[in-house]
Amino acid sequence: MDDTTGRTAHASERPAGPPAPDRPRGAREIQDSRVLAALTHPLRRRLLDLLKVEGPATVGKLAGRTGQAVGNVSHHLKVLAESALIEEAPELARDRREHWWRLADRELSWTRADFDGDPVAEAVADAAGSILLERQVELVREWSARRGGYGTDWRDGCSVATQTWLRLTPEEARELAADLHAVIQKWAHRPVPEDGRDRETVLAFAHSVPAKP
């Protein structure tokens, strides 16, 4: 995920599992605050992440991965489905009782400025951005707690925390944001080599915002 060019976007990842050939679709720009509202819950954000990284899944599998009750997960999946953020994958079911879900779109993005001028929409956009940032910080903190369980190859230089203070015009700030976005998208869209090497999922995100020390 990244928050670079004034928007919040899910970076592309190759879905696991056997989705239909034309699923998930390409990029979707969210401009409806009612759809964006579906992203204002931490569990729903995690469910989308799981479907992106691990591919289509059943309610039971998602409940097991999140430690939530099946009924609770089912409710939040329904909210995501009503906003067309996910869809059922009936071809994966072994019988009529089994229900599989997958992402409807490979990438999601939204631009904060699209929601300016409507107090309700602004509140929704701010909440969606806040939950995304909280999730990013949570995962960074989890890495600090879990890094001891990884080999030295992963502990040595594979994570990064960097910052600097810049003096920029609005045009220069947009250029910086575009550069950061391009770097992440380069890696997000690369074909994953089929070379037999073990690979971990890695969260890459960036923020550049006007601020004062």
Side-chain angles (χ1 to χ4, degrees):
M1 299 179 192
D2 59 275
D3 186 0
T4 52
T5 56
R7 64 184 57 190
T8 303
H10 288 280
S12 296
E13 297 186 48
R14 293 179 62 190
D22 61 340
R23 295 290 193 256
R25 297 182 293 265
R28 176 183 179 185
E29 179 84 12
I30 298 175
Q31 296 180 315
D32 186 335
S33 63
R34 292 169 297 181
V35 175
L36 190 60
L39 302 180
T40 60
H41 191 283
L43 178 57
R44 292 198 286 270
R45 296 233 51 144
R46 188 177 179 195
L47 291 171
L48 287 174
D49 285 343
L50 285 168
L51 292 173
K52 174 177 284 293
V53 174
E54 299 183 358
T58 62
V59 176
K61 180 179 178 181
L62 291 169
R65 291 287 284 111
T66 58
Q68 297 288 319
V70 169
N72 190 35
V73 171
S74 182
H75 165 72
H76 288 292
L77 289 173
K78 181 179 179 181
V79 174
L80 293 171
E82 289 173 346
S83 294
L85 295 171
I86 64 172
E87 61 188 16
E88 288 200 65
E91 73 279 2
L92 300 180
R94 292 171 295 185
D95 54 52
R96 293 183 178 180
R97 295 174 298 176
E98 190 173 66
H99 296 278
W100 285 74
W101 294 93
R102 63 180 165 221
L103 293 181
D105 302 278
R106 191 176 300 274
E107 295 183 21
L108 298 173
S109 66
W110 54 274
T111 303
R112 176 60 177 81
D114 286 344
F115 301 93
D116 288 347
D118 180 340
V120 174
E122 289 176 356
V124 170
D126 289 340
S130 178
I131 287 175
L132 175 61
L133 179 58
E134 290 171 4
R135 177 66 174 155
Q136 291 167 341
V137 172
E138 175 189 11
L139 290 171
V140 172
R141 286 175 174 160
E142 284 183 5
W143 161 249
S144 298
R146 292 186 297 106
R147 68 186 303 275
Y150 284 77
T152 55
D153 284 351
W154 277 103
R155 294 201 304 267
D156 184 16
C158 289
S159 62
V160 61
T162 182
Q163 73 170 49
T164 189
W165 291 96
L166 305 171
R167 295 190 67 84
L168 306 174
T169 65
E171 293 76 13
E172 291 167 339
R174 282 190 284 269
E175 182 178 354
L176 170 63
D179 287 346
L180 294 173
H181 184 73
V183 169
I184 291 179
Q185 290 301 298
K186 168 191 169 183
W187 284 90
H189 291 285
R190 71 157 188 158
V192 177
E194 296 183 1
D195 53 13
R197 299 174 64 186
D198 290 334
R199 285 179 168 81
E200 291 278 347
T201 54
V202 173
L203 173 68
F205 65 94
H207 291 265
S208 60
V209 295
K212 294 186 181 301

